[in-house]
Every structure is written in C-alpha cells, then in structure tokens.
C-alpha cells in the first residue's frame, strides 16, 4: 500500500474588501498568487497550495468556506488578510467551515521601503492590523486554528506551514479511516478499551470487529506464486538466520509467517482498512501471532496496535500519513523495561514482535524464537536496533469525558550492549527531562503502556493535531515540573468540563 497524497490540496484565501478600489484589489490578487507560487516551489509544503480569488464580502467568504468543506481533496485552508478585512464578514463562513484552518500572519514585502513608502503602500500592506481583526473574530468564536507568523519567504515560516499541512493530511486521513479489530482486546486490560462511538464522532475513524477466520479465508486462497515471491523478498531485504533459509529446520515457520502476511494484506485491501489490531488471545486457526506481517504492513503505511489497541493503531496510521517523505520512521511501541543505574536511567522500548522496521538502524535480521505467550507456534519477526536521536512517544487515551493526548519528548541512545539473547526489535531512550520526572508525569496523566514512537514527527505536529481534534494535550519535555504538571491536569479538568458542557 502506498500513501497517496498527490490529489490533496490546501486552499489559500486572501481577505480584503471593496473599499480599496480595483487597482489595490488587483495588486492584492497578484501578490497572493506570487506567494502561493513561491510557497509551492519552496519544497517545504508537501501538498499543493491552491490560490483562490480574494474574498471581499460575506457571501464570497461563505461560498468559499462552504466549497472547501465539501471538496474531498481540500484538507484545509490558509487565510491571510493582505489588507483590512472587517471580521464580521467572516462569521457565517467560519461557522460552517469543517476543514482545519491556518492563519498566516505575514506580509508580501519583507522590509519597509524607507525612501518611497507612502499612504498607497500603507493602504495595500495592512496585514499587521488586518490579521489582528481576523484573529479577534476567531478567538471570539472560540475557533481552534494554527497561527503562523513570519515572512512568507523565510525558511522557518515555510517549515511551520509545511508541518501544519502534514498534520492536516493526517487529520484528513482519519476522517475516512477504517480500523479492523481482529479479535477483541487483551482480556481485563483497561487502557486499550474506550468509546469507539465517541472516537468516530471526534476523529472520524471507524472501528469494527472481525474474527481471525476472516483472515484465514484469504490465507486459504494464496497461490504458490505469490508465496514464493514474498519469500524471495524476505531473502533480499533481510538477513535470514540459517534456520530460516531454504532447507533450514525452521523454514516452515517463515512460510507460515509469509502466508499470514499475504492473508492479512488481502483482508485489509478487500475491506479498505488502513489500520488494524490483533491479539494473541484470539488467534483462532492462525498458526502464529503475526510478527513480520505486522512489521512489514506498518512499514508500508498501515496503522497497527497490539492486543486490540485501536486508538494506537489509528494514531500510528495518522502519524505515518503526516510523515510521508520525511526521514526517521514511525512505529507502534511499548515502554517495556528500565535501565536503572545511579548514573542514568533509560527506557527500553520494544514489544513481543511488532516494531516497525522504518525505525531500524541498518538491515534487520529475520529470526524465529519462542514467544512464551499465546500458546501458538514460534513466530517469525524482524530484529534490529533503532538509531540514536530525538524522537517522541505519543499516547491517546480515553478519560471518560474526553480524549487526552500525552506526548513525551525523548532522546534515543545506542544500547550499552549487543543484546545477543533479546529476540525482538528495540530502542533505548532517555525520557525528557529525566526518567523519574517523565514516568511520574506519564502515570499521573494516565498515559498508556502502548505508544506511537516517531523519529519523523515532533511535538509541534501533535500540538496542531490536538487543536484540530479539539482534545486535551499534555506534553512532557525538558521543562516539565511535576508540581506545575499537576496544576495543568487540574486546570484542564475544569476547562474540559466546561467545554464539553458548552458543546
């Protein structure tokens, strides 16, 4: 599966009014078109920005916002007030707009032309106060939006705009995402549960249950040609342990794993699913827990959550879409064990099998080892370390009256040993600001043991996502202080009680 964003667009709306006359309005349009052309050529924005004619009246604004909301390829709008645009004109349009909005606070020229500036120039270039008028109205309407400030030709501004469009891509994908929950969640586990109806109302994605027999129906129809082709792909892409090579005593386990991958792919493609979960407690006739299958499907852009964790599966998919074209990788993850020493404490992240090779450092090995849980045959999996560098862990949890997104900024480090007996993919990280503070804050926030680990996505993306979704965000970073963190949780509790009541 390829994540296809080629048809997606962000509309660029410029606000003005008829008061300024035809000559000024023509210049406004020309400047806006040049800006759109420049931003499209910058290489920072992953989707096409589409110039829309200057909006000057309430009806023009309303018609454009209505059209944007109805257009399936439009994933959001960027607004800019080149001149003064009386904001009462925007009330109806903003009220019916259903797409994410970015308020670009910039101006066409970078510097003041000291020797030539006159009132004609001042009347044309009024974004300094035109955008403040527009900003008041959105704040008055309590409308969540992204505000990007800076000259449109600066690299930092272009990056921030590009990052926002990536989040809009992820949000757009969630609106039509179908998550297949193969089996239920791990029995008696709390955090992988949640209100799927509320999730669909809030985020757009649907979650429905299926049985392992639905996958088996596709496994029974696998051709020898497809199976052999996939086995050759394994041999070309990964370093197979000797026992998995043709003639090896565990070759049959790799064959079974390949059949599971082909069956899962067939099931997901037929149903139009772009995310899925499974659980070792509901495997039915599957001979082994999907290991390499889940890993490779994630590498191709599918969302995944272990033990029925549909919230994490959806978030893995959303971050995969946001990160299209970026380096670093994104994976399903779990805080597994700690390295507690007097000098420094680290987290060992891993899972039973299902860590995405998009975060691998080098060529993974393909191995078969006992799982020790689930009562099935020993599964095939890819084993690797993840490289050092900055990353985030993100967890979406259902707090009963609202969804909460928790983000911990981390720094991955090289493991202190070779880990010759650990038969799973893994990553070692330093949780910011330190493990004691980070783990305390995470537990106080109710963060899950499952996360989305990403080396491609930053906290800025998650902040934009929380605004688009209208959900709570708690960030654990180098500045986190537990006393202040508790105060933030308490304040958020009061705010969201009021917000939900007002909704």
């Amino acid at each position: 599966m390829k994540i296809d964003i080629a048809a997606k667009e962000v509309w660029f709306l410029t606000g003005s009014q008829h008061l300024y006359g035809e000559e000024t309005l023509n210049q406004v349009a020309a400047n806006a078109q040049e800006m759109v052309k420049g931003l499209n050529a910058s290489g920072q924005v992953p989707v096409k920005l589409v110039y829309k004619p200057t909006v000057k009246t309430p009806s023009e604004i309303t018609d454009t916002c209505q059209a944007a909301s109805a257009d399936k390829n439009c994933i959001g709008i960027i607004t800019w007030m080149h001149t003064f645009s009386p904001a009462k004109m925007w009330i109806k349009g903003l009220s019916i707009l259903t797409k994410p909005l970015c308020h670009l606070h910039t101006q066409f020229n970078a510097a003041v032309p000291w020797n030539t500036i006159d009132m004609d120039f001042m009347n044309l270039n009024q974004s300094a106060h035109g955008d403040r008028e527009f900003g008041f109205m959105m704040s008055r309407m309590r409308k969540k939006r992204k505000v990007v400030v800076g000259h449109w030709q600066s690299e930092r501004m272009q990056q921030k705009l590009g990052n926002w469009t990536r989040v809009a891509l992820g949000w757009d994908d969630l609106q039509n995402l179908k998550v297949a929950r193969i089996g239920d969640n791990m029995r008696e586990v709390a955090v992988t549960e949640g209100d799927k109806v509320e999730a669909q109302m809030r985020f757009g994605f649907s979650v429905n249950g299926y049985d392992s027999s639905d996958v088996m129906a596709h496994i029974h129809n696998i051709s020898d040609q497809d199976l052999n082709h996939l086995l050759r792909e394994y041999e070309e892409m990964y370093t197979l342990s000797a026992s998995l090579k043709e003639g090896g005593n565990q070759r049959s386990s790799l064959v079974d794993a390949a059949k599971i991958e082909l069956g899962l792919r067939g099931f997901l493609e037929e149903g139009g699913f772009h995310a899925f979960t499974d659980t070792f407690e509901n495997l039915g006739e599957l001979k082994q827990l999907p290991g390499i299958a889940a890993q490779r499907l994630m590498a191709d852009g599918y969302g995944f959550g272990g033990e029925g964790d549909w919230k994490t599966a959806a978030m893995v998919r959303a971050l995969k879409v946001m990160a299209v074209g970026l380096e670093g990788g994104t994976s399903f993850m779990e805080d597994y064990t700690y390295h507690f020493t007097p000098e420094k404490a680290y987290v060992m992240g891993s899972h039973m099998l299902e860590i995405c090779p998009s975060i691998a450092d080098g060529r993974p090995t393909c191995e078969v080892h006992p799982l020790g849980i689930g009562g099935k045959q020993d599964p095939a999996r890819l084993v690797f370390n993840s490289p050092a560098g900055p990353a985030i862990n993100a967890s979406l949890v259902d707090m009963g009256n609202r969804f909460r997104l928790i983000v911990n900024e981390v720094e991955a480090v090289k493991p202190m040993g070779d880990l010759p007996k650990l038969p799973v993919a893994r990553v070692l990280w330093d949780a910011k600001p330190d493990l004691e503070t980070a783990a305390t804050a995470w537990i106080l926030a109710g963060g899950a043991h499952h996360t989305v680990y990403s080396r491609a996505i930053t906290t800025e993306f998650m902040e934009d996502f929380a605004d688009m979704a209208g959900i709570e965000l708690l960030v654990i970073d180098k500045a986190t202080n537990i006393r202040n963190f508790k105060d933030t949780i308490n304040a958020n509790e009061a705010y969201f009680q009021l917000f939900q009541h007002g909704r």
Side-chain angles (χ1 to χ4, degrees):
M1 179 192 69
K2 180 183 177 183
I3 298 174
D4 187 7
I5 65 173
K8 300 302 181 181
E9 303 174 345
V10 170
W11 290 7
F12 192 98
L13 275 62
T14 308
S16 188
Q17 58 180 326
H18 282 295
L19 177 68
Y20 298 106
E22 200 66 27
E23 183 178 353
T24 297
L25 290 175
N26 287 339
Q27 191 62 52
V28 167
N31 290 162
Q33 289 177 74
E34 185 174 341
M35 287 171 59
V36 169
K37 183 178 179 180
L39 290 169
N40 278 329
S42 69
Q44 300 289 349
V45 183
V47 299
K48 182 182 179 183
L49 301 187
V50 177
Y51 165 80
K52 291 295 177 178
T54 307
V55 288
K56 307 169 291 297
T57 66
S59 60
E60 290 177 355
I61 292 168
T62 300
D63 289 347
T64 304
C65 289
Q66 192 170 42
S69 297
D71 193 304
K72 67 178 182 179
N73 288 326
C74 176
I75 63 170
I77 68 170
I78 296 170
T79 56
W80 172 51
M81 306 301 114
H82 193 324
T83 64
F84 196 79
S85 178
K88 286 171 64 178
M89 297 194 303
W90 288 83
I91 292 175
K92 185 175 181 180
L94 292 176
S95 296
I96 64 173
L97 181 67
T98 61
K99 299 295 175 73
L101 188 152
C102 176
H103 183 188
L104 178 59
H105 184 44
T106 188
Q107 63 184 26
F108 182 72
N109 60 296
V112 172
W114 302 107
N115 294 326
T116 60
I117 187 170
D118 56 17
M119 283 310 300
D120 287 339
F121 181 93
M122 296 283 275
N123 284 332
L124 175 64
N125 299 283
Q126 296 190 55
S127 56
H129 64 288
D131 278 324
R132 283 171 167 78
E133 164 78 356
F134 183 63
F136 164 76
M137 183 49 66
M138 286 194 289
S139 295
R140 176 67 177 80
M141 295 176 68
R142 309 299 195 267
K143 190 162 186 70
K144 293 289 187 180
R145 75 279 193 189
K146 174 76 169 182
V147 178
V148 176
V149 179
H151 192 256
W152 64 276
Q153 291 178 314
S154 72
E155 184 176 3
R156 175 59 185 148
M157 195 288 297
Q158 292 172 353
Q159 287 175 345
K160 289 176 73 70
L161 200 62
N163 290 350
W164 176 83
T165 63
R166 288 184 174 279
V167 180
L169 279 168
W171 179 251
D172 175 74
D173 190 81
L174 284 183
Q175 305 313 298
N176 300 294
L177 178 64
K178 296 169 62 179
V179 182
R181 202 170 185 223
I182 304 169
D184 205 338
N185 71 309
M186 183 179 174
R187 294 168 198 142
E188 305 295 348
V189 176
V191 78
T192 52
E193 293 282 8
D195 189 335
K196 295 188 284 291
V197 175
E198 181 64 24
Q200 188 165 351
M201 292 167 59
R202 173 65 62 183
F203 303 103
F205 63 82
S206 64
V207 184
N208 287 295
Y210 297 86
D211 190 73
S212 59
S213 60
D214 295 309
V215 178
M216 287 301 304
H218 288 269
I219 291 176
H220 292 322
N221 293 325
I222 293 169
S223 69
D224 290 340
Q225 181 180 357
D226 289 342
L227 178 61
N228 291 330
H229 180 270
L230 183 55
L231 289 169
R232 286 194 297 272
E233 190 172 316
Y234 289 170
E235 292 165 354
E236 293 169 0
M237 295 184 67
Y238 316 115
T239 300
L240 270 59
S241 62
S243 64
L244 295 185
K245 294 179 180 178
E246 197 163 359
N249 62 356
Q250 291 182 310
R251 180 71 173 187
S252 61
S253 293
L254 187 66
V255 172
D256 288 336
K259 288 179 179 178
I260 291 173
E261 179 180 339
L262 289 169
L264 263 173
R265 283 187 184 275
F267 166 75
L268 295 171
E269 289 172 2
E270 182 180 78
F273 304 108
H274 289 161
F276 70 103
T277 72
D278 61 23
T279 174
F280 57 87
E281 291 180 318
N282 294 104
L283 292 175
E285 294 182 42
L286 294 176
K287 292 185 177 181
Q288 55 184 256
L289 178 65
I292 191 172
Q295 291 177 295
R296 284 171 50 83
L297 285 162
M298 268 192 287
D300 286 345
Y302 284 93
F304 173 78
E307 291 105 47
D309 190 348
W310 51 270
K311 296 185 294 296
T312 302
M315 289 301 293
V316 169
R317 168 64 184 185
L319 268 68
K320 290 277 188 184
V321 175
M322 294 179 201
V324 168
L326 298 179
E327 295 185 359
T330 295
S331 179
F332 172 71
M333 186 59 68
E334 180 172 273
D335 296 66
Y336 220 100
T337 194
Y338 290 138
H339 177 69
F340 269 137
T341 66
E343 298 78 24
K344 187 70 178 177
Y346 297 97
V347 180
M348 175 75 79
S350 186
H351 203 252
M352 292 185 293
L353 302 171
E354 312 95 341
I355 303 299
C356 179
S358 67
I359 66 167
D361 187 9
R363 182 183 173 98
T365 60
C366 183
E367 306 172 17
V368 168
H369 298 278
L371 183 60
I373 192 169
K376 291 289 184 174
Q377 295 180 7
D378 300 337
R381 81 292 303 268
L382 300 176
V383 179
F384 53 83
N385 290 325
S386 190
I392 63 167
N393 269 310
S395 172
L396 181 67
V397 295
D398 185 345
M399 298 302 294
N401 65 337
R402 66 189 184 277
F403 287 96
R404 172 182 285 170
L405 180 62
I406 306 119
V407 176
N408 187 194
E409 296 181 356
V410 305
E411 185 77 21
V413 299
K414 184 178 179 181
M416 290 78 171
D418 293 335
L419 304 167
K421 295 186 177 181
L422 184 62
V424 288
R426 58 270 173 158
V427 53
L428 187 69
W429 66 74
D430 176 12
K432 302 299 178 185
D434 55 73
L435 180 54
E436 179 182 345
T437 304
T440 301
W442 191 271
I443 290 170
L444 287 171
H449 56 284
H450 290 164
T451 63
V452 185
Y453 175 86
S454 182
R455 300 181 63 247
I457 298 302
T458 66
T459 301
E460 180 184 359
F461 289 74
M462 296 292 90
E463 183 178 0
D464 291 347
F465 176 84
D467 282 341
M468 287 183 193
I471 62 172
E472 179 184 9
L473 173 69
L474 292 174
V475 176
I476 305 166
D477 59 14
K478 64 182 181 180
T480 296
N481 171 282
I482 293 300
R483 187 179 296 113
N484 294 339
F485 195 78
K486 287 180 178 179
D487 288 343
T488 298
I489 291 175
N490 291 334
N492 286 359
E493 189 71 43
Y495 169 81
F496 278 93
Q497 287 286 0
L498 291 170
F499 173 78
Q500 297 291 354
H501 178 72
R503 189 184 72 170

